[in-house]
Structure formats: C-alpha cells, structure tokens
Amino acid sequence: MDIEFVRSRFIKHFDGTTGSVYASPGRINLIGEHTDYNGGFVFPGAVDKGMIIEIKPNGEDKVKAYSIDLKDYVEFGLNEEDAPRASWARYIFGVCREMIKRGVDVKGFNTAFAGDVPLGAGMSSSAALESAYAYAINDLFGENKIDKFELAKVGQATEHNYIGVKCGIMDQFASVFGKEGSLMRLDCRSLEYQYFPFKPEGYRLVLVDSVVKHELASSAYNKRRESCENVVKAIAQKHEGVEFLRDCTLEMLAEVKAEVSEEDYMRAEYVIEEIQRVLDVCAASEAGDYETVGQKMYETHYGMSKKYEVSCEELDFLNDVAFDCGVTGSRVMGGGFGGCTINLVKNELYETFITTAKERFKEKFGRSPKVYDVVISDGSRKLI
Ligand code: GLA
C-alpha cells in the first residue's frame, strides 16, 4: 500500500488540495495473549502492514471521512450526540471524542484512509486506525501535547466507549511504540517497557490466516474479562493487595476453587500460566534459545484452545499441521475466535510447511488459508 494511492483518492474525493499523511501499523504478538487486561506482560511488535490516512482541517465543525477500501463516505459532528452509524466511522469519531476529553481543541477535517492490514485477522486493524487518527489529531490540533502512552490509551478508550470491546492496551501500544526489528515487552500494570531486538537467525516468523473472521465485539471477549475479574474478587478477599490476576499464583487460585465456577477457574489458570510464559519466552529469546520459545508457543495454543476456549476448529487444525511438519512454535494469535496462527519456522522447513498447510487446509475446509510473512517495523509516524 502506498502514500500516492491514498493521496490520489484524497485529491479526487475532496477539493483537489492535499493534507498531511500519517501511518500506523498492525501488530503481531509473539506471546502473552489475554494477559494485558490482567495487568500481566505482553510481547508484541508492529508489522509492515497498517493504515495510511490523509487528513486536512476544513475550517468547519464537521468531519468528512472517506473509507477508500469500503468506498463509503460519512460526515459527522464532534459532539457526543453526533456518533455516526457506520462502524468504521465510529472509530474515527471515538478518537476525536477521546482527544477532546483530553483537552485537545479538535476541529473539523477532511480525511481519506486505506489499509493493508487484513481485517479480522487478529493483527489489530482497528488499533492501527485508532492510533493513526490519535497521532494525526495530536499533531494537527494538539501541538503534540499528548504523550505516546496517552495516545495508545485514546485508542483503547475508543474501543471501550464507542465500540463496546473492553480490550487491554497491547494493540494500541504496539501500534504507537513499534520499532523496526524489535519486539517490545510491556508490563501492562506499570506500563514499563523494553525493546528486544528480534532477528532469530535460521528462523522465520509467518502468519497463517484461517480467514475465519473473529468478532471481538461478539461479547465473548468481554465475557473472558469478566471471568478473570470474578476470580480476582474471590482471591482478593483472602489476600491483601491483589488487584489483577498478575498478582495471583496458582496456589492462590487453588484456594478459591470451591468459590468460583469451573469455567472461571480454567480461564484464570490459563492467564496465570500465560503471564509466566511471557517472561520465559523473553529470557529464552534473549539467549537465542528458540526451541524453548517455540515450545512455549505450543503451550499457549493448548491453553487458549482448551482452557481459555478462544480457538476454533480451523486454528486448531493449523496448529496440528504445524506440529506435524516439525515447526518450532505455533499458536493462535491475538484475541482468538478466528484470525491467524503465528509460526516460528526453521528456514529449511518454510516451503514444506506452507505448501502442506495450504493443501491440507483446502482439503479439509474447501478454501485456502492466506500467508503473511512478518516484517517487524516502526510504529505511528507522519509520512508527509
Ligand atoms: C485483542 C485485544 C488486546 C488483547 C488481545 C489478546 O487483540 O484488543 O487488548 O487482549 O486481544 O491478547
């Protein structure tokens, strides 16, 4: 996807003039799924696919927005009651509102945008969109007064308040803070983070997209979060200072077994184990021990499939194929309920794995999965 394409659409759709152009990426996550809203760790990186937006103040109090990919045009005002109906436009509206709540004097603008991060593939196309607008609005109307963490929180608050997904901070953080060639370990409780150069010699990271569309908003995500909160409540009655599952051990969980539902118990067990896996994987990856990294990825897949129950038949199948082919690590990536597996593959196995995965998937489900090579790239930025 390129700037010239977005620019040509912007010129054609509006008054022939040009504006400023910004980009924000989607993300991968090596490990640490459903740990962010539990105050735990995540280990994401930004990718070379994302959203490009062109934007220009229009001197009115209206936003005029054009989605190039959907060929859809929407206008909306900037007051709370002006929320547009089209879901893609609600993301932009939500970001405007959240920036206004933070004291930015947002005025009307014309904008067009396009993306090449696949929708619903678990690569956070929505966070890319939110981060791009938060970054641009801060630059155009906010004198860049809002810091990068707050920009990530603007995207997260947009999801909470205007989309209805009670997501954590990982996706927006990764989109804003991404750095070429590095993964980032974020402590979602303290918000401390560290860059880890990730260039696994002899291996490649590849995503295999089941093309099952995940519907995060379909309440299953919010339900998982509630399960975690139920368990925290029970444990906090016995242990002072427990605020998140991050603060809990498996022993503490066992103490409340009789007080929580079986389902909530399983969910919490997965999260507590997963938080530890992130730390183990960071250490292993620093030491160049990719066998351990891979093994932990399989453990995560098992946990997401059997305990957190956010996988699906297609993703379990892709995970099995990876295992059969001798792939070092494989697991469902992102929120789940569809989307991609992320695979750590030895270079010499790459071709065989991809061919086999495509063939066997097609045989079983009658359609081909999509394949994306991962290139770890920079976060939100101004292009022109
Ligand atoms: C979605 C959410 C994130 C995170 C992941 C699961 O991508 O937006 O905050 O919870 O799911 O790790």
Side-chain angles (χ1 to χ4, degrees), residues 219-228 263-264 267:
S219 84
Y221 181 93
N222 294 347
K223 225 176 139 224
R224 296 299 180 285
R225 189 170 180 149
E226 274 167 32
S227 289
C228 298
E263 189 176 281
D264 290 356
R267 308 285 191 248

Side-chain angles (χ1 to χ4, degrees), residues 27 29 32-37 42 122 124 165 167-172 216 221 334-336:
R27 61 107 187 89
N29 185 27
E33 230 56 274
H34 293 276
T35 49
D36 56 355
Y37 53 84
V42 291
S124 299
V165 181
C167 66
I169 192 72
M170 169 169 72
D171 304 348
Q172 293 78 10
L216 273 187
Y221 181 93

